[in-house]
């Protein structure tokens, strides 16, 4: 991709314009419903960022989206489209629950690291099969990861009903974790330093997500492995010429990707639900695709895009509450529009912008 | 002549003395790149007009404008003196322009007849068109040595014949002006000579021919006039009889160039690389190498001549560890190489085999990578590129890249620029610098000067000779016979996956090698 745009325009201006366009079209949809789009916008923003309660929920969603966004981003660098984040996170939830149910009589500082390892390993394992099938058998990973999402959902139901369910209970869910598997929420952490914050599900895994961003950045742009992943992603033939094994890179990239997706289970299962049930992922795996697309597969971009989607989710929930005639599906519509404008229609913005910049440059020189 | 007698509908009557083509002030920019700058050119009817220029000089852009692929930003096209708007290839065909592309535009499973008629059928039923085409083809074959079996399937034909089908297609569409883009790149010398006879025949019938090429020898041999392009501008148009290859080369590059390689006699040492019975079968089950035996010695350049597609690429790729062998053995300094798996590029480099691949765009470079990232590509696992932290030593990588840029005169001298933003010649210098500076014992070189400007060719040739003078072994694959003859200390010729002959360069000539390249034993053909 050679672009005549300055880096800042490429990284920030284009996504910003894309989002703006998505919101404009979404605004039109709101007008069609017969509501005031300006008011809807105000409710969304104040509902997600206007109070510490709103911010807490926004950060909670953001945390999940950072993990799944990173998952898609890492695979993107190897030119692999991992859309199995949903399944990988779901299966990782099983791993997290197993660790938590075993160790919740101890202390969270012991449980958390082991749960992190379990989440990453379960997520990676679920990504490993499609990766192997692509690397060795040429089965297209988009197809296999989608299929693995369904298998994961079925696996989760089976585990809940046959392994985790408390005898006699009706709901397909595990028992509640004891104190030894409860990680600090952000409001509790604020309390440690003497600040007051309304109780929300946002928790310490937000910082884990930021750490993961740093890790991905180091991996992709500073390590030899990342160099090989990017080389492979840009040109498989060149990678083979340089002695980089396509099998190895496909496997590693997908293992890291699956591991990242898996980590989001820490945020939801351990940080919020405090048990394993069917609600641990709820589409966050798919949102990760939009986040990675918008964030240009860069950790900083992923954080910003995840934050935007966090705002959309929390603000959207408030919106559906305040204006019942705007259904919560509206958020899905906006999300779809963002994907449409950032993913499919990117050149619609890019080309005119490049021309504009050229004219501007000619004018100055 | 059938074609001229038929009035072509919709074509304005041309003024009889007007030039066949007149371009006036053509300009075309792609983003910031000015591909064509105010180009004016006249091509007289019934002449062969050559256009030469380095890669990226704007030849192809200009022809694409003439053929309607691109729209010029400015300028006018006159065909036969009549201002003509050409928006697409249909307009071009209507104006009597035919184009033979570098990469043929043929439907491989169709017969010759079907390909010729395709898109120019007279009605809904095929039969009358095919019958008409058959008559025409027979006449053309007779008149211009354009003989091709009309019922042969195109995919089964040799390249030279496929090219004739392209010419026939254009003639069937009543082309008076024929543009040929690098037509001899895939031909043996004999096939090329045949093509030139065809072109002479067409010229004698009043057709106008534009020949785009970078081979000065061809320009001198067949053209009447020649235009030289440099950096998007037309720097000169001269009568071929009044110029010389040296002058043309100077006009193309903008400075004096040496067309010959100066080198001393080789000091040949021990055999380093020994290849025995090497076989390669590709994904489609086609046997690309059918048992190759060769010995590569220290201090020599072994040239591999051959028409593209006769196994040279397969040889380079299997030796470079990119593809796997189906049989045979390769040993280096007595140690056997692993030929299975096809991902042994790293192993080869560890053993001291460098590889300048034929296709630098897809193999040799990662185009979106910066120059400094490409500058150690393949050698990036060497300890000097690793930092103590376990990450890559970017400072060293960049220093290393800057040194190579300086030593190999890579321009522009910026290691932060993406590989894609360098010219062909400088991209090749990036690859050559990387492979030679890795200090290999054996260097595999494929098409080192393909798409490389004349100025850089000189430099690259000297680097290869310098490596050989250090006692290293070089295996040079090239489809340019001149290059093989100029550089090699020993020449083998490949045909159909086998070695069809071995010669010493001062003991052979282009004719003899040309016969070997076509699979003909020169001794037999004499008898």
């Amino acid at each position: 991709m050679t672009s005549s745009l300055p880096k800042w325009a490429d990284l920030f201006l284009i996504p910003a314009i894309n989002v703006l366009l998505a919101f404009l079209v979404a605004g039109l949809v709101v007008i069609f419903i017969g509501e005031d789009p300006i008011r809807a916008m105000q409710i969304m923003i104040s509902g997600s960022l206007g109070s510490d309660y709103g911010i807490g929920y926004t950060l909670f969603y953001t945390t999940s989206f950072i993990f799944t966004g990173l998952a898609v981003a890492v695979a993107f660098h190897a030119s692999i489209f991992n859309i199995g984040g949903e399944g990988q996170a779901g299966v990782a939830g099983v791993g997290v629950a197993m660790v938590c149910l075993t160790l919740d009589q101890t202390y969270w500082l012991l449980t958390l690291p082991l749960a992190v390892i379990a989440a990453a390993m379960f997520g990676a394992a679920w990504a490993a099969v499609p990766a192997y099938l692509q690397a060795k058998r040429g089965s297209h990973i988009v197809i296999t990861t989608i299929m693995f999402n369904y298998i994961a959902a079925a696996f989760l139901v089976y585990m809940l009903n046959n392994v985790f369910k408390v005898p006699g209970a009706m709901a397909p869910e595990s028992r509640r974790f004891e104190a030894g598997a409860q990680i600090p929420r952000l409001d509790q952490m604020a309390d440690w330093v003497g600040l007051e914050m309304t109780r929300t599900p946002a928790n310490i895994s937000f910082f884990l997500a930021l750490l993961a961003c740093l890790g991905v950045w180091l991996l992709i742009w500073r390590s030899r492995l990342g160099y090989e992943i990017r080389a492979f992603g840009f040109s498989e033939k060149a990678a083979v010429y340089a002695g980089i094994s396509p099998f190895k890179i496909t496997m590693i990239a997908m293992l890291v990707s699956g591991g990242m997706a898996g980590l989001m289970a820490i945020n939801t299962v351990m940080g919020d639900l405090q048990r394993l049930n069917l609600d641990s992922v709820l589409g966050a795996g798919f949102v990760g695709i939009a986040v990675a697309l918008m964030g240009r597969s860069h950790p900083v971009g992923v954080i910003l895009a995840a934050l935007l989607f966090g705002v959309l989710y929390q603000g959207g929930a408030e919106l559906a509450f305040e204006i019942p005639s705007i259904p919560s599906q509206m958020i899905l519509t906006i999300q779809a529009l963002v994907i449409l404008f950032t993913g499919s229609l990117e050149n619609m913005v890019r080309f005119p912008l490049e021309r504009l910049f050229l004219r501007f440059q000619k004018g100055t020189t | 002549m059938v074609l001229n007698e038929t009035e072509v509908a919709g074509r304005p009557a041309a003024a009889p003395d007007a030039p066949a083509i007149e371009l006036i002030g053509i300009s075309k920019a792609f983003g910031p790149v000015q591909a064509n700058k105010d180009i004016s050119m006249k091509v007289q009817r019934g002449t062969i007009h050559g256009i030469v220029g380095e890669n990226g000089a704007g030849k192809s852009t200009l022809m694409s404008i003439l053929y309607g692929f691109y729209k010029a930003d400015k300028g006018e096209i006159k065909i036969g003196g009549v201002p003509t708007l050409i928006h697409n290839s249909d307009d071009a065909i209507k104006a009597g322009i035919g184009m033979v592309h570098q990469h043929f535009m043929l439907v491989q499973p169709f017969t010759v007849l079907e390909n010729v008629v395709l898109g120019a059928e007279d009605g809904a039923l095929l039969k009358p068109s095919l019958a008409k085409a058959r008559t025409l083809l027979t006449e053309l074959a007779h008149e211009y040595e354009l003989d091709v079996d009309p019922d042969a399937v195109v995919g089964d034909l040799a390249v030279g014949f496929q090219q004739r089908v392209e010419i026939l297609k254009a003639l069937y569409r009543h082309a008076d002006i024929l543009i040929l883009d690098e037509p001899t790149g895939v031909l043996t010398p004999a096939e090329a000579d045949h093509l030139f006879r065809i072109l002479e025949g067409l010229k004698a019938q009043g057709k106008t021919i534009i020949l785009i090429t970078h081979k000065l020898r061809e320009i001198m041999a067949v053209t009447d006039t020649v235009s030289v392009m440099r950096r998007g501008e037309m720097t000169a148009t001269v009568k071929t009889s009044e110029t010389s290859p040296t002058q043309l080369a100077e006009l193309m590059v903008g400075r004096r160039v040496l067309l010959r390689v100066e080198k001393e006699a080789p000091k040949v040492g021990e055999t380093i690389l020994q290849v025995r019975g090497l076989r390669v079968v590709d994904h489609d089950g086609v046997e690309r190498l059918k048992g190759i035996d060769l010995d590569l010695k220290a201090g020599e350049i072994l040239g591999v001549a051959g028409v593209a597609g006769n196994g040279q690429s397969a040889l380079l790729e299997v030796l470079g560890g990119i593809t796997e062998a189906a049989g045979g053995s390769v040993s280096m300094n007595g140690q056997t190489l692993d030929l299975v798996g096809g991902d042994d590029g790293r192993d080869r480099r560890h053993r001291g085999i460098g590889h300048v691949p034929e296709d630098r765009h897809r193999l040799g470079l990662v185009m979106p990578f910066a120059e400094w990232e490409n500058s150690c590509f393949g050698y990036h696992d060497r300890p000097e590129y690793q930092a103590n932290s376990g990450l890559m030593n970017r400072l060293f990588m960049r220093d290393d890249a800057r040194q190579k840029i300086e030593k190999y005169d890579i321009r522009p001298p910026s290691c932060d620029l993406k590989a894609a933003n360098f010219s062909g010649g400088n991209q090749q210098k990036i690859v050559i610098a990387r492979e030679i500076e890795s200090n290999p014992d054996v260097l595999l070189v494929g098409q080192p000067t393909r798409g490389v400007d004349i100025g850089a060719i000189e430099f690259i040739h000297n680097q290869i000779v310098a490596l050989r003078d250090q006692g290293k072994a070089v295996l040079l694959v090239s489809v340019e016979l001149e290059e093989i003859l100029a550089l090699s200390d020993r020449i083998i010729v490949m045909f159909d996956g086998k070695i069809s002959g071995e010669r010493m360069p001062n003991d052979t000539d282009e004719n003899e090698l040309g016969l070997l390249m076509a699979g003909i034993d020169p001794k037999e053909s004499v008898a």
Side-chain angles (χ1 to χ4, degrees):
Chain A
M1 204 168 50
T2 49
S3 165
S4 53
L5 287 177
K7 214 170 175 182
W8 61 269
D10 192 34
L11 288 179
F12 297 104
L13 195 57
I14 289 185
I17 294 175
N18 285 329
V19 171
L20 210 67
L21 284 172
F23 273 101
L24 277 176
V25 178
L28 288 178
V29 178
V30 172
I31 292 174
F32 276 127
I33 294 175
E35 296 293 340
D36 179 4
I38 306 288
R39 187 171 158 245
M41 194 73 188
Q42 282 167 345
I43 294 173
M44 281 186 71
I45 290 179
S46 65
S48 57
L49 300 171
S51 64
D52 59 348
Y53 172 83
I55 291 174
Y57 268 94
T58 300
L59 286 184
F60 170 69
Y61 292 125
T62 302
T63 306
S64 289
F65 299 155
I66 289 177
F67 283 125
T68 53
L70 284 179
V72 178
V74 167
F76 262 158
H77 282 289
S79 211
I80 298 169
F81 198 19
N82 174 20
I83 53 178
E86 192 78 7
Q88 288 143 19
V91 169
V94 173
V96 171
M98 278 161 67
V99 170
C100 290
L101 290 170
T102 315
L103 294 174
D104 60 357
Q105 306 293 336
T106 62
Y107 190 56
W108 71 268
L109 271 174
L110 172 71
T111 319
L112 180 61
L114 290 172
V116 164
I117 292 169
M121 278 178 53
F122 273 66
W126 204 249
V129 185
Y132 182 86
L133 288 174
Q134 160 134 333
K136 279 285 178 207
R137 315 291 315 170
S139 317
H140 203 290
I141 207 150
V142 168
I143 310 288
T144 47
T145 47
I146 291 178
M147 297 201 304
F148 264 64
N149 285 340
Y150 288 103
I151 302 174
F155 173 68
L156 187 61
V157 170
Y158 174 86
M159 290 300 282
L160 284 172
N161 276 316
N162 297 289
V163 180
F164 290 115
K165 200 173 81 167
V166 184
M170 292 294 289
E173 58 180 30
S174 76
R175 72 167 167 81
R176 222 184 130 77
F177 304 153
E178 302 288 333
Q182 291 176 6
I183 47 175
R185 294 187 309 274
L186 285 193
D187 54 276
Q188 291 170 321
M189 294 171 79
D191 191 44
W192 295 346
V193 289
L195 293 172
E196 211 168 301
M197 199 176 157
T198 315
R199 178 179 170 152
T200 61
N203 59 73
I204 193 170
S205 44
F206 174 67
F207 298 103
L208 190 66
L210 296 183
L211 218 62
C213 286
L214 180 67
V216 165
W217 180 77
L218 284 173
L219 170 75
I220 297 292
W221 279 282
R222 288 294 182 270
S223 79
R224 194 208 311 174
L225 188 61
Y227 176 87
E228 296 188 350
I229 289 176
R230 285 183 296 129
F232 174 79
F234 285 133
S235 166
E236 181 172 347
K237 287 194 109 175
V240 172
Y241 156 79
I244 297 166
S245 156
F247 175 74
K248 193 182 120 191
I249 296 299
T250 304
M251 288 307 290
I252 291 178
M254 275 302 280
L255 289 175
V256 175
S257 175
M260 284 294 154
L263 286 179
M264 79 151 275
I266 299 285
N267 184 42
T268 52
V269 175
M270 227 179 151
D272 177 34
L273 300 168
Q274 288 288 305
R275 63 170 77 79
L276 186 66
N277 61 19
L278 289 171
D279 299 336
S280 65
V281 190
L282 292 183
F286 294 119
V287 177
I289 300 170
V291 168
L293 272 175
M294 234 194 106
R296 317 226 133 219
S297 298
H298 192 285
V300 175
V302 165
I303 294 175
L304 293 175
L307 194 62
L308 174 79
F309 276 95
V311 166
L312 279 179
Y313 263 63
Q314 171 55 20
E318 291 291 319
L319 187 62
F321 185 74
E322 293 278 333
I323 312 179
S325 61
I326 298 181
S328 59
Q329 276 82 352
M330 192 61 216
I331 294 311
L332 290 179
T333 310
I334 297 179
Q335 188 188 324
L337 287 167
V338 170
I339 296 179
L340 189 71
F341 281 103
T342 52
S344 327
L345 301 177
E346 206 206 84
N347 285 343
M348 194 178 78
V349 173
R350 177 180 291 276
F351 288 157
L353 205 65
E354 278 182 351
R355 234 168 285 148
L356 201 74
F357 267 90
L358 268 173
R359 198 166 302 165
F360 183 67
Q361 278 165 1
K362 270 182 196 160
T364 51
T365 49
Chain B
M1 170 57 211
V2 188
L3 291 178
N4 291 351
E5 284 162 12
T6 332
E7 254 317 301
V8 182
R11 200 181 293 177
D17 298 328
I21 303 169
E22 188 173 1
L23 302 177
I24 305 156
I26 299 280
S27 291
K28 174 75 186 168
F30 296 103
V33 182
Q34 191 74 34
N36 283 162
K37 263 179 266 178
D38 191 26
I39 288 181
S40 298
M41 175 177 103
K42 276 184 198 167
V43 179
Q44 296 304 328
R45 186 187 305 276
T47 60
I48 301 181
H49 189 104
I51 298 183
V52 288
E54 300 186 302
N55 258 54
K59 299 169 294 189
S60 299
T61 307
L62 188 64
M63 289 305 114
S64 299
I65 289 171
L66 187 52
Y67 199 62
F69 284 148
Y70 298 136
K71 196 179 169 302
D73 300 337
K74 253 189 275 172
E76 192 184 1
I77 300 172
K78 284 186 185 173
I79 305 291
V82 183
T84 311
L85 290 175
I86 300 176
H87 294 300
N88 50 44
S89 51
D90 270 354
D91 291 346
I93 292 167
K94 282 205 192 90
I97 302 171
M99 184 147 179
V100 177
H101 297 270
Q102 199 171 359
H103 304 285
F104 305 144
M105 311 275 177
L106 295 170
V107 184
Q108 297 284 323
F110 275 18
T111 65
V112 170
L113 212 52
E114 286 168 331
N115 264 292
V116 167
V117 171
L118 185 68
E121 306 90 346
D122 291 331
L125 291 176
L126 268 184
K127 221 169 175 182
S129 307
L130 288 176
K132 186 180 137 200
R134 188 181 295 276
T135 338
L136 198 66
L137 246 55
T138 332
E139 284 173 34
L140 290 170
H142 192 67
E143 210 159 342
Y144 304 114
E145 292 188 65
L146 269 166
D147 27 11
V148 199
D149 174 9
D151 297 312
V153 172
V154 162
D156 298 340
L157 293 176
V159 239
F161 283 91
Q162 294 198 17
Q163 194 172 52
R164 285 181 213 169
V165 179
E166 284 281 16
I167 297 175
L168 286 169
K169 259 172 72 179
L171 295 178
Y172 185 74
R173 285 158 180 74
H174 309 286
D176 284 325
I177 299 160
L178 207 56
I179 307 169
L180 293 106
D181 190 3
E182 298 282 358
T184 58
V186 289
L187 303 182
T188 63
E191 283 175 321
D193 286 343
H194 190 137
L195 172 70
F196 294 149
R197 282 205 301 280
I198 294 171
L199 296 185
E200 294 285 352
L202 289 168
K203 176 178 128 183
Q205 291 291 340
K207 305 273 177 198
T208 310
I209 291 156
I210 297 184
L211 180 69
I212 305 170
T213 180
H214 66 277
K215 294 182 186 171
L216 297 177
R217 197 174 59 96
E218 293 171 359
I219 290 288
M220 299 309 294
V222 290
T223 62
D224 300 305
T225 41
V226 51
S227 295
V228 185
M229 290 191 70
R230 184 169 83 226
R231 289 184 197 155
E233 286 176 274
M234 193 146 272
T235 47
T237 297
V238 287
K239 281 213 163 66
T240 312
S241 52
E242 292 166 6
T243 185
S244 67
T246 331
Q247 193 201 353
L248 288 177
E250 257 182 71
L251 285 167
M252 279 164 71
V253 187
R255 64 177 173 87
R256 278 195 68 79
V257 281
L258 210 60
L259 288 174
R260 280 211 53 83
V261 183
E262 305 209 358
K263 58 178 182 133
E264 292 167 19
K267 297 182 189 69
V268 179
E270 298 286 301
T271 296
I272 296 188
L273 202 70
Q274 193 176 51
V275 179
R276 288 293 174 266
L278 189 60
R279 290 177 53 245
V280 168
V281 178
D282 69 8
H283 286 298
D284 301 325
V286 179
E287 198 173 8
R288 292 286 168 198
L289 289 187
K290 302 175 176 173
I292 297 288
D293 298 309
L294 65 86
D295 291 298
L296 183 61
K297 300 191 179 72
E300 72 165 348
I301 298 174
L302 175 59
V304 182
V307 179
N310 277 286
Q312 310 97 302
S313 312
L315 180 64
L316 279 181
E317 293 194 350
V318 72
L319 292 179
I322 295 171
T323 49
E324 63 179 354
S329 68
V330 179
S331 62
M332 182 171 171
N333 293 325
Q335 285 181 310
T336 314
L337 299 186
D338 180 16
L339 298 175
V340 202
D343 56 351
D344 297 312
R346 183 161 290 166
D347 172 66
R348 297 293 196 275
R349 286 181 179 80
H350 286 190
R351 289 170 189 269
I353 301 181
H355 182 187
V356 177
E358 290 184 310
D359 187 344
R360 65 173 167 271
H361 290 114
R362 288 192 298 163
L363 262 62
L365 294 167
V366 180
M367 284 298 165
F369 268 14
E371 196 277 340
W372 64 270
E373 286 177 295
N374 271 299
S375 177
C376 65
F377 188 55
Y379 303 93
H380 55 273
D381 58 338
R382 287 193 170 178
E384 61 260 35
Y385 296 117
Q386 321 304 319
N388 293 331
S389 59
L391 300 173
M392 297 204 80
N393 190 341
R394 290 154 52 93
L395 278 178
F396 179 80
M397 285 166 79
R398 296 162 72 95
D399 277 348
D400 184 59
R402 281 194 206 101
Q403 276 177 22
K404 287 174 189 165
I405 285 176
E406 172 144 6
K407 187 167 171 190
Y408 288 80
D409 190 28
I410 295 163
R411 281 183 234 178
S414 159
C415 70
D416 291 313
L417 218 56
K418 285 177 182 168
N421 296 341
F422 286 87
S423 71
N426 284 297
Q427 287 173 347
Q428 189 70 323
K429 281 187 191 172
I430 298 173
V431 179
I432 299 254
R434 179 181 74 208
E435 299 303 321
I436 290 184
E437 290 303 304
S438 77
N439 195 23
D441 291 329
V442 172
L443 186 65
L444 311 169
V445 190
Q447 320 296 352
T449 54
R450 177 186 281 170
V452 167
D453 20 284
I454 294 194
I457 288 178
E458 200 182 338
F459 182 85
I460 289 170
H461 282 172
N462 288 337
Q463 293 298 326
I464 293 174
V465 171
L467 189 75
R468 160 263 217 186
D469 288 343
Q470 290 168 33
K472 314 289 185 168
V474 178
L475 185 75
L476 169 76
V477 168
S478 176
V479 290
E480 307 282 347
L481 261 188
E482 285 176 62
E483 180 165 58
I484 293 279
L485 280 165
L487 281 179
S488 308
D489 301 313
R490 189 155 61 95
I491 299 170
I492 56 174
V493 184
M494 284 187 71
F495 174 72
D496 193 26
K498 284 179 291 224
I499 293 176
S500 57
E502 180 176 334
R503 295 287 185 277
M504 297 309 273
N506 45 13
D507 208 28
T508 186
D509 54 33
E510 295 204 4
N511 291 336
E512 191 189 22
L513 292 177
L515 287 172
L516 287 167
M517 283 161 70
I520 303 162
D521 192 330
K523 284 166 207 138
E524 278 173 32
S525 71
V526 171

